[in-house]
Amino acid sequence: MRKFIIAYVFIVLSSLFLVTEASAAQLNDRQALLGLHQAKAIFLVNVRNPMAVEHLMKVIGLTRRQFLSQTVTPIS
């Protein structure tokens, strides 16, 4: 029974991640970045979870590409 509950929780959390990722692709932040020439993003990194670090690296790359596609220079 415990394995079933753990598997169920994992499936639910995985599906939430997929829904969040799909809706994030449809977001339009053009209005929020209007008039900006430079921007900085700050990310909280939990190094104890390698999967979270891997996902965060993808998010950082995506954020950088989105800044550049809207002619906003990412600064460090």
Side-chain angles (χ1 to χ4, degrees):
M1 181 69 172
R2 184 176 175 178
K3 289 183 182 180
F4 174 75
I5 293 172
I6 292 172
Y8 179 76
V9 169
F10 178 75
I11 290 170
V12 169
L13 291 177
S14 297
S15 65
L16 288 175
F17 171 73
L18 293 175
V19 169
T20 303
E21 186 175 322
S23 64
Q26 298 171 359
L27 293 177
N28 184 354
D29 59 356
R30 191 168 310 279
Q31 189 70 24
L33 296 176
L34 189 65
L36 289 180
H37 300 288
Q38 294 180 335
K40 181 184 283 192
I42 299 172
F43 299 91
L44 177 62
V45 181
N46 179 1
V47 294
R48 292 183 180 173
N49 184 347
M51 296 299 288
V53 172
E54 178 184 0
H55 175 70
L56 184 60
M57 296 305 293
K58 291 177 185 177
V59 170
I60 291 170
L62 175 64
T63 302
R64 184 178 189 283
R65 285 192 302 277
Q66 288 174 339
F67 277 168
L68 292 173
S69 72
Q70 297 183 54
T71 63
V72 175
T73 305
I75 57 176
S76 53

